[in-house]
């Protein structure tokens, strides 16, 4: 199922034609391969599925491999409920926590914490502060041992200062999975793997698994679920799907966004997969939604190309001269982020400054569709 990855060359050439996927070197010398935006054609290969924060050192060797890209129940034909319920290879059902992904990396022989796109994001700093507490010493030691073994520990951070929808009662860091950097295997699926002894020894808190729950039971319970996001279902080959409850989706207001501007906004916020799953399950043609998503991807890809061209042209200038040379360009702020080795916040900038001009309030569906979604 998963691509064997030793070196950046095992991934980068296969996705070179996708402008939405970028390989950007961080100030610490690590190159992160990550999609910045996506459409229905982005994740059409096993290499593309890994471009969700996969990390390589200065020599191109893999140092961190967080979760692969996976999809919502009903988002793809193979994930329609009737097809999933007919499968006999489901090996795990666990809580879908409304939090932020935090993972480990090994850099120059030392443990580093990272989010999907950064090693110094706000959630990484919150994680560092959380781990300063003596009660979390076991997590830190566990993470160091995992990283030194060629594995990546993947946690979910919930924190009052990083609320998404569900308000957490207190800050917490819970282990979701551990992946083999090279093979991509989710080693916790192997009951005989040494990782289980390590988890017990260091008393690492886990994302809740529902061992006695059937898939049918899990899906049925979604209708009455409140205060939680939903479930993640994992198959024997390591692939996964997300199933979110109506309560959570209503809070996101996802299935009510049917204008093209709202679809574009959801794509920028990385919430459009929720909409697609709900629309597909209702039997709605996704052609209009896909058209908006593809148009957005084309625009953003062109802007990223401009930013990269500005950076390459002035990369050898000192900071002052680079600023003078590029300050008249509309993308100056983003180019300066690239020059300084920071995360290029294209999506945030575009959402604030350009989206309303580029996408109209044209309604993508009629009252019949709205009634279907309300039902």
């Amino acid at each position: 199922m998963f691509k064997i990855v030793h070196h950046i060359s095992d991934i980068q050439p296969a996705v070179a034609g996708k402008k939405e996927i970028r390989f950007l070197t961080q100030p610490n010398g690590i190159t992160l391969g990550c999609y910045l935006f996506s459409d229905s054609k982005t994740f059409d290969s096993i290499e593309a599925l890994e471009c969700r924060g996969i990390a390589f050192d200065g020599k191109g060797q893999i140092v961190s491999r967080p979760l692969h890209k996976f999809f919502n129940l009903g988002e793809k034909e193979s994930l329609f409920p009737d097809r999933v319920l007919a499968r006999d290879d489901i090996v795990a059902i666990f809580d879908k926590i409304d939090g932020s992904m935090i993972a480990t990396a090994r850099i120059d022989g030392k443990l580093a914490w990272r989010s999907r796109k950064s090693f110094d994001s706000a959630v990484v700093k919150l994680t560092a502060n959380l781990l300063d507490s003596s009660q979390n010493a076991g997590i830190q030691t566990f993470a160091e041992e995992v990283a030194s073994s060629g594995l990546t520990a993947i946690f979910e951070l919930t924190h009052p200062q990083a609320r998404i929808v569900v308000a957490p009662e207190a800050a917490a860091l819970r282990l979701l999975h551990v992946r083999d950097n090279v093979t991509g295997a989710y080693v916790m699926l192997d009951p005989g793997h040494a990782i289980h002894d390590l988890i017990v020894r260091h008393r690492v808190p886990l994302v809740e698994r529902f061992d006695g729950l059937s898939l049918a039971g899990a899906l049925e319970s979604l209708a009455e679920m409140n205060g939680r996001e939903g479930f993640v279902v994992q198959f024997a080959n390591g692939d996964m799907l997300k199933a979110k409850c109506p309560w959570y989706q209503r809070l996101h207001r996802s299935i009510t966004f049917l204008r093209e501007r709202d679809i574009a906004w959801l794509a920028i916020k990385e919430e459009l997969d929720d909409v697609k799953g709900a629309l597909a399950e209702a039997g709605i043609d996704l052609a209009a939604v896909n058209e908006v998503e593809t148009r957005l991807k084309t625009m953003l890809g062109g802007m990223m190309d401009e930013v990269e061209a500005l950076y390459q042209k002035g990369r050898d200038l000192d900071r002052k001269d680079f600023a003078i040379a590029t300050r008249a360009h509309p993308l100056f702020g983003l180019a300066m982020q690239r020059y300084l080795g920071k995360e290029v916040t294209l999506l945030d900038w575009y959402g604030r400054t350009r989206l309303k001009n580029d996408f109209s309030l044209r309604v993508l569906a009629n009252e019949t569709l709205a009634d279907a979604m309300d039902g």
Side-chain angles (χ1 to χ4, degrees):
M1 159 77 204
F2 299 114
K3 174 86 173 184
I4 299 294
V5 180
H6 293 277
H7 191 269
I8 193 171
S9 60
D10 294 321
I11 294 288
Q12 192 171 22
V15 298
K18 296 181 181 293
K19 292 179 183 258
E20 66 270 36
I21 294 177
R22 301 285 166 155
F23 289 79
L24 299 178
T25 301
Q26 309 298 300
N28 60 4
I30 300 300
T31 296
L32 292 177
C34 194
Y35 73 97
L36 302 183
F37 39 88
S38 65
D39 68 4
S40 58
K41 298 179 181 178
T42 296
F43 300 105
D44 57 3
S45 68
I46 57 175
E47 291 87 1
L49 290 172
E50 297 295 341
C51 293
R52 196 172 179 267
I54 193 167
F56 305 91
D57 65 16
K59 296 180 180 179
Q61 301 298 317
I62 189 168
V63 295
S64 182
R65 190 169 183 170
L67 300 178
H68 72 286
K69 172 65 178 178
F70 58 99
F71 302 92
N72 277 282
L73 181 73
E75 188 177 349
K76 301 167 67 175
E77 187 174 351
S78 62
L79 297 179
F80 283 0
D82 57 340
R83 293 199 176 190
V84 176
L85 286 167
R87 296 183 64 160
D88 61 0
D89 60 339
I90 294 171
V91 294
I93 298 175
F94 45 94
D95 199 8
K96 176 73 175 73
I97 294 180
D98 189 34
S100 302
M101 190 279 292
I102 292 291
T104 59
R106 188 166 175 82
I107 302 174
D108 296 329
K110 296 181 180 180
L111 170 69
W113 293 93
R114 42 78 57 95
S115 56
R116 181 157 61 90
K117 295 180 182 178
S118 175
F119 285 82
D120 63 354
S121 64
V123 291
V124 172
K125 293 174 182 177
L126 288 174
T127 300
N129 291 336
L130 191 61
L131 291 172
D132 279 342
S133 169
S134 59
Q135 67 183 28
N136 292 316
I139 295 178
Q140 182 76 18
T141 303
F142 169 83
E144 290 171 351
E145 293 189 37
V146 166
S148 66
S149 300
L151 305 171
T152 297
I154 304 153
F155 293 82
E156 283 283 353
L157 172 72
T158 50
H159 199 290
Q161 295 180 37
R163 176 180 177 177
I164 300 176
V165 172
V166 180
E169 295 182 1
L173 197 63
R174 284 166 283 191
L175 181 67
L176 175 63
H177 257 306
V178 178
R179 287 192 88 183
D180 186 293
N181 288 347
V182 173
T183 68
Y186 289 90
V187 300
M188 289 172 65
L189 295 182
D190 177 3
H193 197 281
I195 196 68
H196 298 287
D197 291 335
L198 204 60
I199 291 169
V200 172
R201 186 186 317 148
H202 296 296
R203 300 180 181 179
V204 178
L206 299 175
V207 170
E208 185 176 3
R209 261 71 171 170
F210 302 99
D211 295 333
L213 183 63
S214 68
L215 178 60
L219 298 185
E220 184 177 353
S221 71
L222 290 173
E224 303 300 324
M225 184 180 290
N226 286 282
R228 290 170 50 204
E229 185 172 350
F231 297 106
V232 173
V233 179
Q234 190 158 33
F235 306 100
N237 65 1
D239 199 11
M240 294 182 274
L241 68 81
K242 299 172 281 186
K244 299 182 181 182
C245 72
W247 174 86
Y248 184 88
Q249 290 183 329
R250 281 194 298 271
L251 285 183
H252 261 275
R253 297 166 56 222
S254 59
I255 61 175
T256 66
F257 285 133
L258 299 175
R259 301 171 302 179
E260 72 166 34
R261 182 182 298 171
D262 299 319
I263 292 296
W265 177 250
L266 284 168
I268 284 177
K269 300 294 288 182
E270 297 183 36
E271 296 170 7
L272 189 54
D273 56 352
D274 298 341
V275 178
K276 285 187 172 182
L279 291 173
E281 190 170 351
I284 305 304
D285 186 359
L286 297 180
V289 174
N290 289 336
E291 185 279 326
V292 171
E293 191 178 30
T294 298
R295 187 165 16 123
L296 175 68
K297 183 186 78 169
T298 300
M299 291 178 179
L300 295 176
M303 291 177 188
M304 279 302 299
D305 285 345
E306 287 189 66
V307 169
E308 189 64 20
L310 289 170
Y311 167 71
Q312 293 296 338
K313 183 177 180 180
R315 62 185 297 178
D316 295 326
L317 299 174
D318 63 30
R319 179 172 179 169
K320 181 178 179 180
D321 289 341
F322 182 86
I324 292 173
T326 59
R327 64 187 176 189
H329 197 283
L331 301 177
F332 163 71
L334 301 177
M336 183 58 71
Q337 288 176 340
R338 178 73 176 102
Y339 175 84
L340 295 174
K342 297 182 178 180
E343 178 183 348
V344 179
T345 57
L346 171 63
L347 302 188
D348 178 67
W349 175 85
Y350 182 83
R352 288 185 289 103
T353 65
R354 292 282 298 272
L355 185 143
K356 288 184 178 180
N357 295 326
D358 293 340
F359 292 90
S360 73
L361 296 177
R362 176 176 64 93
V363 177
L364 298 183
N366 56 28
E367 292 181 2
T368 302
L369 173 54
D371 290 342
M373 294 309 301
D374 288 339

